[in-house]
Amino acid sequence: MPRFMSLIRIDEQAAAGFEPDPGFDERVTALFEEITKAGVMLETAGLTPTAQGTRVHWSGGELSHTDGPFTETKEVVGGYAILQCKDKAEALEWASRFLQVHPESWTVTCEVRAIDEA
């Protein structure tokens, strides 16, 4: 079965002010239990803020390092999941369900990409 990576993209500065509604944690926990029991969720995690990250860049035969935060970046990867699904449609269904447990006032994007198994 193919594997897919879902990348959760957020506006890190706006997300700092987001407050989850009272049922948010329960909805996420229930969905994660369901997707794990279905054998779809292989791994998931949130990522630390970009202020704690470092970018390593290769250009012209030279390496450079830039410590975060990366203020020039509007949208960052805030978390990820590795899913094993029968096809892309199933991966998109799970990604959609994940986004729908978030409060309506939040803006969250999920990029779903197949993992190249070649």
Side-chain angles (χ1 to χ4, degrees):
M1 248 196 297
R3 294 183 306 151
F4 296 86
M5 175 172 267
S6 69
L7 302 166
I8 308 306
R9 296 186 178 277
I10 60 170
D11 177 335
E12 191 173 56
Q13 293 172 345
F18 287 162
E19 289 294 326
D21 59 59
F24 176 68
D25 290 336
E26 292 81 13
R27 291 191 309 272
V28 170
T29 299
L31 180 63
F32 281 6
E33 285 176 6
E34 182 182 352
I35 194 170
T36 301
K37 285 180 185 174
V40 172
M41 178 79 76
L42 302 179
E43 181 178 340
T44 189
L47 301 176
T48 60
T50 61
Q52 299 173 20
T54 300
R55 287 185 178 161
V56 182
H57 184 73
W58 174 256
S59 179
E62 299 286 327
L63 279 176
S64 63
H65 297 82
T66 305
D67 290 330
F70 311 118
T71 55
E72 71 281 1
T73 304
K74 172 102 171 123
E75 208 174 59
V76 299
V77 176
Y80 71 94
I82 305 289
L83 309 174
Q84 188 166 357
C85 301
K86 64 182 183 228
D87 54 27
K88 186 175 181 180
E90 182 185 12
L92 291 172
E93 175 63 27
W94 286 111
S96 297
R97 290 186 59 195
F98 174 73
L99 292 178
Q100 290 171 331
V101 301
H102 290 77
E104 289 182 12
S105 61
W106 290 23
T107 299
V108 184
T109 302
C110 183
E111 179 180 335
V112 176
R113 296 173 58 186
I115 294 175
D116 188 354
E117 305 283 1

